[in-house]
Amino acid sequence: MDVQYYAPQEPFYVGDCMPFFDQGTFHLYYLLDIDHHQGNNGLGGHQWAHISSTDLKHWKKHSIALPLDPEKEGSICTGSVFKHGKNIYAFYATRNRDWTQHISYAISEDGIRFNKQEPNRFLMAPEGYLAADFRDPYVFKDEEGSFQMLITSRVENFPLADRGGCIMRMSSKDLMNWKCEGTVLVPGGPAGADCVPECPDLFLWNGWYYLLFGTKHQTSYVMSRSVEGPWTKPKGDVLGTAWMLSVMKTATFKNCRRIGAGWIGKRHNNRDSGKMLWGGNLVLREFIQFPDGRLGTKFPKELIPKSLGEIDFKGAKLTGNIRFSGLQAVLLATDFQAVMAIENVPLNFRFRCEMKIGKDTDGIGVGLRGVGNYKDMYALEFDVWRKMIRLEEEQIDFFGDFGQWWTVDIIAKDDIIDVCVQNSHCLINRLGEKRGDKLFISCEKGLLRVKNMRLQRI
């Protein structure tokens, strides 16, 4: 099965992901969503689906790992998988019919067949935390040998109105009896449900601890030299923008690699409404670490869609001051835009190139699925002065040097456009309305060099 951008057959979709690596196998559990969180009278009706791979190329689909009992459980929510001894534990949240939440767990010997354990209401929200927000348990073992559990919650009687969303911590000596250790992080943010940091994920990598979480479905992170904190919010702390790579969680893989998994939401039929729907397609990323400890992401090489053949093309000038030489081009914009076009681009394609801009260039861009004489397109923009990359309304910080050669890798697959810059900055968007067959490259008031252009059908 093709895993990157995978979605089950409608009305099912991919929800929150819970990757787990054990004995050479990468297990990916995910919430099997039905009708965009409308299952079981709006409670979600989720259950844990399961796929696995030993090489990230070939994937096996398993039976439902944690099935739902619709009479007793409103939804089986996000959690984590943890191995201790010979047993594999699935800690997860259950949403009740009164919308309160509690923590449950199940045990497996092989990571495929899990047995739910009693009592099913294993952990309830402790005093000082709201029962309506008590979910997404993440379990790990600390350096002293104690078990720790991070939980999405909300502080009761928080001093600011309708806020107090937090990650709280509990500890245990035996995985059965847990003690509240207080609040780990209150990230702040808007009032209401959007202030609650969902799906915490913690890992140690080359001397740095990272704590990932989602607010308003946006994947952010903080970092520290100690698992106890203090936690620092780095510049460029957003790894996945709202609805466009939601609540990404990670697991290690072979050769000290770290793979993240999240989902890209579906758009409402009326795109102008701005409404996004819960659940959609699976998206995986490989994490990279900058020298100062900050995180970035790139396409996992094993999951790039298979090429169906190279496409020979020639660049076309839409303005003057453009020179072509094989797979290279030079765009010189003295007082307005210099624009070139590549024609007859298929709907599903992969385009790669290297770019370098001259000093004091205002901006450059790539137009995707364009039509006419630079009339309409989806705009991928590189903001030189603000050091930002934008794909329509989605944007991320860029930590590279626009003055050096840098790579651009673009995948357009059905209604998804996925971009990776310099093998360290990824940006994705769901853009399905425009279906033009042109790709534009533009430069504003300056110089742009492009080389090693490749276009493939996928």
Side-chain angles (χ1 to χ4, degrees):
M1 60 184 295
D2 294 328
V3 166
Q4 191 73 299
Y5 318 126
Y6 164 78
Q9 186 173 356
E10 294 184 7
F12 295 98
Y13 301 94
V14 173
D16 299 349
C17 298
M18 294 146 287
F20 168 67
F21 182 69
D22 180 52
Q23 297 183 342
T25 298
F26 188 88
H27 298 268
L28 182 56
Y29 306 93
Y30 65 89
L31 298 187
L32 182 61
D33 174 61
I34 180 168
D35 201 19
H36 304 296
H37 216 297
Q38 297 307 303
N40 212 355
N41 296 317
L43 290 165
H46 298 134
Q47 43 195 348
W48 281 23
H50 179 204
I51 57 176
S52 68
S53 175
T54 58
D55 59 7
L56 301 183
K57 293 181 180 179
H58 305 92
W59 292 80
K60 181 184 296 185
K61 188 175 182 179
H62 302 281
S63 58
I64 295 295
L66 283 176
L68 176 76
D69 184 340
E71 294 185 0
K72 296 180 180 179
E73 300 163 324
S75 186
I76 293 178
C77 305
T78 313
S80 61
V81 180
F82 175 77
K83 187 173 184 179
H84 178 59
K86 294 182 179 181
N87 289 330
I88 297 174
Y89 292 78
F91 288 90
Y92 60 97
T94 301
R95 183 175 294 115
N96 306 311
R97 294 196 171 277
D98 62 0
W99 289 88
T100 61
Q101 299 162 356
H102 65 266
I103 307 301
S104 304
Y105 76 106
I107 297 178
S108 173
E109 293 182 355
D110 57 9
I112 297 174
R113 293 168 290 273
F114 285 87
N115 296 311
K116 296 180 184 178
Q117 303 296 299
E118 296 292 342
N120 190 264
R121 296 194 177 193
F122 169 57
L123 274 178
M124 309 294 289
E127 184 178 355
Y129 297 90
L130 296 178
D133 286 302
F134 190 69
R135 61 184 181 274
D136 307 338
Y138 178 82
V139 175
F140 65 99
K141 196 173 186 178
D142 66 19
E143 295 177 355
E144 283 76 39
S146 294
F147 302 105
Q148 307 291 325
M149 182 187 296
L150 302 180
I151 302 175
T152 289
S153 191
R154 196 191 300 211
V155 177
E156 193 172 18
N157 299 321
F158 196 72
L160 299 179
D162 203 17
R163 287 172 171 82
C166 71
I167 296 173
M168 56 92 68
R169 180 171 66 92
M170 303 188 81
S171 66
S172 173
K173 297 294 186 182
D174 58 7
L175 289 174
M176 299 295 106
N177 301 286
W178 293 85
K179 175 186 175 184
C180 179
E181 299 290 355
T183 299
V184 173
L185 183 72
V186 181
D194 290 342
C195 78
V196 180
E198 298 184 298
C199 303
D201 181 54
L202 179 86
F203 60 90
L204 172 64
W205 200 16
N206 296 328
W208 286 99
Y209 285 92
Y210 299 95
L211 176 57
L212 276 62
F213 56 91
T215 51
K216 201 176 181 180
H217 301 282
Q218 176 174 284
T219 304
S220 303
Y221 76 98
V222 290
M223 54 193 291
S224 175
R225 287 294 191 180
S226 169
V227 71
E228 301 290 338
W231 297 98
T232 300
K233 177 181 177 180
K235 178 176 172 56
D237 64 307
V238 175
L239 296 170
T241 56
W243 301 101
M244 294 303 168
L245 188 43
S246 293
V247 288
M248 185 162 48
K249 293 169 72 72
T250 72
T252 188
F253 190 59
K254 300 172 183 177
N255 300 318
C256 299
R257 298 168 69 188
R258 181 155 289 271
I259 306 297
W263 52 270
I264 177 172
K266 296 284 286 185
R267 289 194 183 276
H268 191 270
N269 289 336
N270 179 10
R271 190 179 190 276
D272 293 336
S273 71
K275 183 178 179 181
M276 296 294 295
L277 302 173
W278 201 97
N281 297 64
L282 174 64
V283 179
L284 291 102
R285 297 286 192 237
E286 180 168 352
F287 277 53
I288 66 102
Q289 190 180 51
F290 291 102
D292 63 0
R294 285 178 296 114
L295 295 174
T297 59
K298 65 180 181 179
F299 295 160
K301 60 181 183 296
E302 299 89 344
L303 298 174
I304 294 174
K306 182 180 178 181
S307 171
L308 299 180
E310 297 280 341
I311 298 175
D312 293 328
F313 65 89
K314 293 182 179 179
K317 297 181 183 180
L318 297 188
T319 67
N321 298 323
I322 297 177
R323 300 195 309 272
F324 297 111
S325 176
L327 301 178
Q328 304 180 59
V330 178
L331 289 76
L332 178 62
T334 54
D335 55 359
F336 63 96
Q337 281 186 314
V339 182
M340 61 169 283
I342 297 174
E343 300 178 342
N344 301 317
V345 178
L347 183 69
N348 293 335
F349 67 86
R350 183 184 183 195
F351 177 76
R352 286 173 285 172
C353 69
E354 296 176 58
M355 291 184 170
K356 182 180 179 181
I357 65 170
K359 185 179 179 181
D360 298 327
T361 299
D362 276 4
I364 56 177
V366 180
L368 304 169
R369 291 180 173 163
V371 297
N373 194 27
Y374 204 55
K375 179 180 179 181
D376 195 18
M377 73 212 78
Y378 289 123
L380 172 63
E381 300 173 295
F382 301 89
D383 191 323
V384 176
W385 303 108
R386 295 179 180 85
K387 301 206 74 172
M388 303 284 295
I389 306 172
R390 298 188 189 91
L391 179 56
E392 291 294 299
E393 70 275 15
E394 304 298 318
Q395 64 181 34
I396 57 171
D397 294 297
F398 179 61
F399 300 110
D401 185 354
F402 281 123
Q404 302 297 320
W405 285 104
W406 38 278
T407 60
V408 180
D409 195 345
I410 303 169
I411 294 172
K413 180 71 171 176
D414 301 327
D415 64 346
I416 292 174
I417 296 179
D418 205 1
V419 178
C420 184
V421 178
Q422 201 64 354
N423 270 325
S424 56
H425 300 73
C426 288
L427 188 58
I428 192 168
N429 206 336
R430 191 179 286 277
L431 302 165
E433 295 86 355
K434 299 172 184 177
R435 305 175 73 86
D437 65 351
K438 293 184 179 180
L439 186 150
F440 303 113
I441 298 177
S442 65
C443 175
E444 291 187 20
K445 294 184 180 179
L447 175 68
L448 170 63
R449 300 180 186 274
V450 187
K451 67 179 183 179
N452 296 328
M453 292 184 285
R454 294 184 64 187
L455 179 62
Q456 295 173 315
R457 189 186 307 274
I458 59 172

